[in-house]
Amino acid sequence: MSMRHQTGRRRRQPSESSNGSLASRRSSFAQNGNSSRKSSELRGSRPCEKVVHTAQDSLFSTSSGWTNFRGFFNLSILLLVLSNGRVALENVIKYGILITPLQWMSTFVEHNYSIWSWPNLALILCSNIQIVLVLGVEKVLERGWLGNAFAAVFYTVLVIVHLTIPVVVTLTHTWKNPLWSVGMMGVYVIEALKFISYGHVNYWARDARRKITELKTQVTDLAKKTCDPKQFWDLKDELSMHQMAAAYPSNLSFSNIYYFMAAPTLCYEFKFPRTLRIRKHFLIKRTVELIFLSFLIAALVQQWVVPTVRNSMKPLSEMEYSRCLERLLKLAIPNHLIWLLFFYTFFHSFLNLVAELLRFADREFYRDFWNSETISYFWKSWNIPVHRFAVRHIYSPMMRNNFTKMSAFFVVFFVSAFFHEYLVSVPLKMFRLWSYYGMMGQIPLSYITDKIVRGGRTGNIIVWLSLIVGQPLAILMYGHDWYILNFGVPSATNQTVVI
């Protein structure tokens, strides 16, 4: 018979006062020792037997029930700090201080102060033309001068043209620094998604108004035929879309559409939740965080990531697999640290700052993605604005039109993969599709964590491992090809790199 089924077996239960229980055992042992010593004196030199063994599991055994491992967690944090501190010190000793804030600021300064000296900023300002055009077309549609078929064609052409304009400008521009192009194209992608949401919601409002009008006509015809009030009803009590129809078309205004374009959301609504006031203390705190963390990210990239990527060019060119693996692992830690900092900077500091300025009350920009046990839950929780847009304007419409869940799931990831590649390949002016393949690879990985591993601790480890390894691998591949394309094979000399 195993120890698990033995009678009288002692099972350790986790408690809040494990140290207290240990002290009580020591106190008990001391008391027993004193009493046995006194008994020994009374009984002379006669030997005394004390029971010291009982049936119990070792603390590392799952069956012991012991869960208090806080000391090992503290040890892990300490080892992590020491190991990364050593790597950071080694980096400074090897390369010196590469951080150059003055050179960061010089990227904003041009000899020609015309607006076209900053083509990315000029494109963002010119996007107001599309915003005004959308509002004008919606007013025409509201009056019934054009139908929904025209609206479908208009929004399709508008989104395609809106996403094509920055591609043409970026590919024909000779500026080699892709950083500002990424920001500009990110703004254009956000605007394109907002156009889709704006068009969808206004279409739903027109459709609701049409249905209400038809039902009112039916009720009026019924009232002419009978005097029995039980034969017809109050539409406001029966129709759930009456509120949408009532808010339309008063929402078609410049203030409404520009509030939506500035709001930290991709899903349009007639009335957003609003806070009562702007909290100045909260605003100052988010502003300080945004400025400090932005400079910290730039410093880490210039001091830690850029030299590692530069030193990876030769091993990647010569396909030295052991050296490539070493570079990948060396890049993984700083890259993941920067990714976490970027997440906090953008999704918490920046979006909360914008929301506070606009008194936008819905602040759920992320959920507990760090506890994700499946890939699917990670993508549902780490970027809530995009997730809500995908569900509302891609997944749900496909399900209403009798597509399968797998088809809708595939289309959502395809759209996400397209925009990921769009934001990487165009600014770098090269098309390698690594980002696209990485996003589409999330589909089989999601199946593994959902169906095979079924979440749990193993699923959470797989989620973190895919982030820690996948991102630096893509950075090395894109960085290698971009550097070779623009500067040729780099030498082994260490020199300051300007981002």
Side-chain angles (χ1 to χ4, degrees):
M1 181 180 295
S2 63
M3 285 185 60
R4 187 180 297 246
H5 301 288
Q6 291 179 4
T7 59
R9 175 179 168 275
R10 180 182 176 186
R11 179 180 176 86
R12 291 187 177 90
Q13 298 295 335
S15 64
E16 298 179 0
S17 57
S18 58
N19 293 333
S21 63
L22 179 61
S24 64
R25 287 199 298 268
R26 288 177 177 174
S27 175
S28 176
F29 177 79
Q31 293 174 2
N32 291 337
N34 292 334
S35 62
S36 63
R37 206 177 293 116
K38 293 179 180 179
S39 300
S40 177
E41 294 176 356
L42 293 174
R43 293 191 300 266
S45 60
R46 190 172 62 185
C48 178
E49 181 181 0
K50 184 178 183 300
V51 177
V52 295
H53 295 289
T54 183
Q56 56 185 322
D57 290 326
S58 299
L59 294 184
F60 287 141
S61 299
T62 306
S63 56
S64 70
W66 189 267
T67 58
N68 186 3
F69 295 102
R70 292 193 304 270
F72 282 112
F73 176 78
N74 295 334
L75 176 62
S76 301
I77 296 298
L78 182 60
L79 292 176
L80 183 65
V81 172
L82 291 177
S83 60
N84 284 280
R86 183 201 64 81
V87 173
L89 181 60
E90 180 185 27
N91 177 277
V92 173
I93 294 175
K94 184 176 182 179
Y95 302 108
I97 302 297
L98 303 179
I99 302 171
T100 52
L102 292 179
Q103 291 181 348
W104 305 345
M105 304 306 297
S106 66
T107 59
F108 295 98
V109 180
E110 296 286 344
H111 296 293
N112 184 3
Y113 289 94
S114 169
I115 184 63
W116 301 110
S117 299
W118 295 281
N120 296 305
L121 177 60
L123 278 176
I124 293 176
L125 295 177
C126 288
S127 66
N128 286 280
I129 298 174
Q130 290 92 302
I131 297 174
V132 174
L133 179 63
V134 166
L135 179 61
V137 170
E138 282 296 335
K139 285 182 174 291
V140 171
L141 293 170
E142 183 272 327
R143 294 175 182 175
W145 296 345
L146 295 171
N148 290 328
F150 171 82
V153 174
F154 167 74
Y155 276 103
T156 301
V157 174
L158 173 71
V159 170
I160 293 175
V161 173
H162 189 74
L163 294 175
T164 303
I165 292 175
V167 174
V168 174
V169 174
T170 301
L171 295 181
T172 56
H173 192 3
T174 57
W175 197 7
K176 290 186 177 181
N177 191 337
L179 180 62
W180 307 119
S181 297
V182 173
M184 176 271 296
M185 298 187 71
V187 171
Y188 264 69
V189 168
I190 291 173
E191 290 178 343
L193 298 180
K194 291 194 176 192
F195 289 155
I196 294 173
S197 182
Y198 190 77
H200 268 180
V201 174
N202 283 298
Y203 162 73
W204 295 334
R206 290 193 302 271
D207 189 57
R209 188 175 62 174
R210 177 184 60 80
K211 290 180 179 178
I212 289 177
T213 302
E214 292 177 354
L215 288 173
K216 282 184 176 180
T217 302
Q218 295 175 8
V219 170
T220 303
D221 293 340
L222 182 61
K224 292 178 180 179
K225 298 177 182 179
T226 179
C227 296
D228 186 3
K230 296 181 180 180
Q231 296 293 326
F232 49 92
W233 60 92
D234 183 7
L235 289 175
K236 288 188 177 182
D237 295 333
E238 296 295 326
L239 295 177
S240 60
M241 64 272 206
H242 76 278
Q243 292 180 343
M244 180 179 290
Y248 183 83
S250 61
N251 65 301
L252 300 179
S253 63
F254 280 103
S255 60
N256 184 275
I257 190 173
Y258 271 100
Y259 181 88
F260 171 57
M261 299 306 294
T265 179
L266 298 177
C267 294
Y268 177 70
E269 291 181 356
F270 292 118
K271 187 177 181 180
F272 291 105
R274 305 288 293 273
T275 58
L276 297 177
R277 61 183 181 86
I278 297 177
R279 298 168 294 176
K280 295 182 179 179
H281 178 75
F282 183 87
L283 204 64
I284 294 173
K285 187 176 181 180
R286 297 286 85 82
T287 303
V288 172
E289 285 179 353
L290 180 62
I291 296 174
F292 172 75
L293 292 177
S294 298
F295 275 90
L296 179 61
I297 290 173
L300 289 175
V301 169
Q302 189 173 25
Q303 181 68 43
W304 206 344
V305 173
V306 173
T308 304
V309 174
R310 281 178 54 85
N311 291 338
S312 305
M313 299 299 102
K314 186 176 180 181
L316 285 173
S317 300
E318 298 177 358
M319 296 304 293
E320 299 179 12
Y321 294 108
S322 59
R323 290 281 294 167
C324 290
L325 179 60
E326 185 268 338
R327 292 288 101 182
L328 174 65
L329 296 178
K330 189 172 183 179
L331 182 62
I333 297 301
N335 171 80
H336 194 65
L337 177 61
I338 291 171
W339 181 80
L340 291 174
L341 289 174
F342 170 78
F343 170 83
Y344 185 90
T345 303
F346 183 79
F347 286 95
H348 186 75
S349 300
F350 177 72
L351 293 185
N352 269 288
L353 175 64
V354 174
E356 192 68 23
L357 288 171
L358 298 176
R359 293 172 44 221
F360 186 82
D362 186 1
R363 308 294 175 89
E364 190 185 32
F365 305 123
Y366 54 89
R367 294 179 187 144
D368 59 331
F369 72 90
W370 49 88
N371 293 326
S372 300
E373 297 180 355
T374 61
I375 292 294
S376 59
Y377 182 78
F378 170 80
W379 290 110
K380 292 176 183 177
S381 59
W382 97 279
N383 190 338
I384 295 301
V386 171
H387 169 66
R388 287 175 174 170
F389 176 89
V391 171
R392 189 192 197 196
H393 298 290
I394 302 177
Y395 188 87
S396 294
M398 291 186 67
M399 295 300 295
R400 287 196 297 268
N401 287 276
N402 300 320
F403 286 89
T404 64
K405 288 185 178 181
M406 189 62 197
S407 299
F409 186 75
F410 179 84
V411 171
V412 168
F413 270 95
F414 173 79
V415 173
S416 178
F418 168 79
F419 282 115
H420 274 78
E421 190 64 40
Y422 176 86
L423 292 173
V424 175
S425 290
V426 176
L428 295 179
K429 300 181 182 179
M430 62 181 192
F431 301 91
R432 299 296 187 267
L433 299 181
W434 304 124
S435 184
Y436 173 82
Y437 294 142
M439 283 301 303
M440 296 306 292
Q442 300 296 302
I443 297 178
L445 192 59
S446 177
Y447 178 82
I448 292 174
T449 56
D450 284 343
K451 304 299 183 181
I452 299 178
V453 178
R454 297 184 181 276
R457 181 178 298 176
T458 304
N460 183 254
I461 292 174
I462 293 176
V463 171
W464 281 117
L465 192 62
S466 66
L467 295 173
I468 294 174
V469 177
Q471 291 178 356
L473 181 61
I475 289 175
L476 285 179
M477 291 188 293
Y478 277 112
H480 170 266
D481 292 352
W482 180 78
Y483 201 95
I484 296 298
L485 185 64
N486 288 274
F487 303 103
V489 180
S491 62
T493 58
N494 300 328
Q495 49 185 296
T496 302
V497 181
V498 181
I499 61 173

